[in-house]
Structures are given as C-alpha cells and as structure tokens.
Amino acid sequence: MPRQNRVQPDGQIIAHPARGLFMGNRGCLHDAAGQLGRARWRHPHWITCMTDFKGRKRPLMQPGLYTELFFLDEAVAAAAGHRPCAECRRAEYTAFRKLWSALHGPADAGGIDRALHAARTGGGRQRQHQAPAAGLPEGAFVLWQDAPHLVTPRGLHPYAPAGYGPPLPRPGGTLTVQTPAPLVAMMAAGWCVVLHPSAGAPG
C-alpha cells in the first residue's frame, strides 16, 4: 500500500504510488507507526530536494526523523510553497536566493522560509490569491473549473498525480492562483522550475 507522502499543488499530502521527480520535507509529520498527524503546516522550513544525492539511502518515515515527501515536479513543490534545498540543490538555491534578494529584499534561508510560510498558509490550509490570467508565468498553478492546472505558454495543463494532461486554452479574466505570490513573482522574473515531461517542451 502506498505511503501517505505525495504532495499535491494545494499542499495536501495523499497516498499515491507515483513518486515524481523531486522529494523534500517540512519537518517530522508522522508518528512511530508512519501515520501522518494533523500538524502538517506548522513547520516553517519547507524544501525541495533531489531524489538521489551522494548515494544516500534511508528507510522512509523513520520514527522521530523528517517525513520524506514527494512531488510530481518542482512546479507542484512551488505551488505547495517549497523552495530549493540549500544542501543537495546548492546551485539552484544560490540562484534562487540571489533572485529573491533582488525582488523581495536580502534574506537567509530562515528569512525566506518565514516569508513563504506567511504567504502559503493560513488556518491550516493553503492561502490562495487572485491574478490576471494573461500575466501568469510558466510554472504557476491555478485553480480552474475547480481543479489544479499548470500554466505554460501552451495553455493550462490539468494536473494528476501521475502527470499532466494536454493543454487547454488559457482563459481570460482573473484566476485563483495556488502558487504563493512571492514565488509567482520569482517565476515572472526568470526562475525556471523543473517541469514533468508530461508538460511538454519548455516554453
């Protein structure tokens, strides 16, 4: 039976057999039996990691240690509010922090995490915002027709845990955005998140 460790664009964590391109964590969320508790939004440090780093291997969900989480791709991780890991993705984190400083002001990892935590969650659920559809950058996630969709130059790709569907025409007007506003600004300024192959060729 799949473990409950697959993160969705709304930040919720489900059980699903597909593992995706990235892993990460937001602290210890499970108990000694490997079951997730209710405090899934409390820890402020949410990161996106490589699935393979220096040959390290460890059993999943060890008691008292962080809960290994998995994402379809980096766009999903960003929608949930995770940022690049400063250890296993050092180059990506360094570039991310440089762009963050230019847009939002200088900050170390802790400062970035505090700002992201305020932007991504409220009352134990995802904090969403509104934005014009026409200006949304590639990599952002929106709610459209009550379902999460990835934004690319080719349209809106419906999300499923195993991959994206074919793009649909981008609608006009204003959309509900799931990706935290500071990260949408990062994408608009040139932060290119890694997309699952099912999203098609880069824009």
Side-chain angles (χ1 to χ4, degrees), residues 69-150:
L69 302 174
F70 294 87
F71 315 91
L72 175 68
D73 60 12
E74 194 172 17
V76 173
H82 291 244
R83 54 124 176 121
C85 175
E87 181 185 12
C88 68
R89 304 186 67 209
R90 188 68 184 181
E92 292 86 352
Y93 169 76
T94 299
F96 178 93
R97 183 179 174 188
K98 181 178 180 180
L99 184 57
W100 179 281
S101 296
L103 293 179
H104 306 303
D108 58 9
I112 293 171
D113 290 345
R114 287 189 293 273
L116 281 179
H117 200 59
R120 70 186 166 223
T121 182
R125 58 181 298 177
Q126 184 180 59
R127 188 186 301 277
Q128 301 169 349
H129 57 103
Q130 305 292 310
L136 289 170
E138 180 169 42
F141 258 90
V142 299
L143 277 178
W144 187 56
Q145 297 181 341
D146 297 321
H149 287 71
L150 171 72

Side-chain angles (χ1 to χ4, degrees), residues 139-194:
F141 258 90
V142 299
L143 277 178
W144 187 56
Q145 297 181 341
D146 297 321
H149 287 71
L150 171 72
V151 176
T152 77
R154 297 166 296 286
L156 302 185
H157 299 251
Y159 166 82
Y164 299 106
L168 304 171
R170 187 185 300 209
T174 299
L175 292 175
T176 298
V177 184
Q178 295 182 288
T179 307
L183 297 184
V184 174
M186 294 275 286
M187 293 170 179
W191 180 41
C192 296
V193 295
V194 179

Side-chain angles (χ1 to χ4, degrees), residues 4 6-14 25-30 36-47 67 69 71 76-82 113-128 177-180:
Q4 187 180 359
R6 185 64 181 270
V7 180
Q8 302 302 283
D10 64 357
Q12 299 298 329
I13 306 170
I14 67 170
N25 82 79
R26 57 178 77 164
C28 183
L29 311 180
H30 63 279
L36 267 60
R38 300 182 63 180
R40 303 176 192 180
W41 301 80
R42 182 175 57 199
H43 196 286
H45 309 298
W46 295 18
I47 60 175
T67 304
L69 302 174
F71 315 91
V76 173
H82 291 244
D113 290 345
R114 287 189 293 273
L116 281 179
H117 200 59
R120 70 186 166 223
T121 182
R125 58 181 298 177
Q126 184 180 59
R127 188 186 301 277
Q128 301 169 349
V177 184
Q178 295 182 288
T179 307

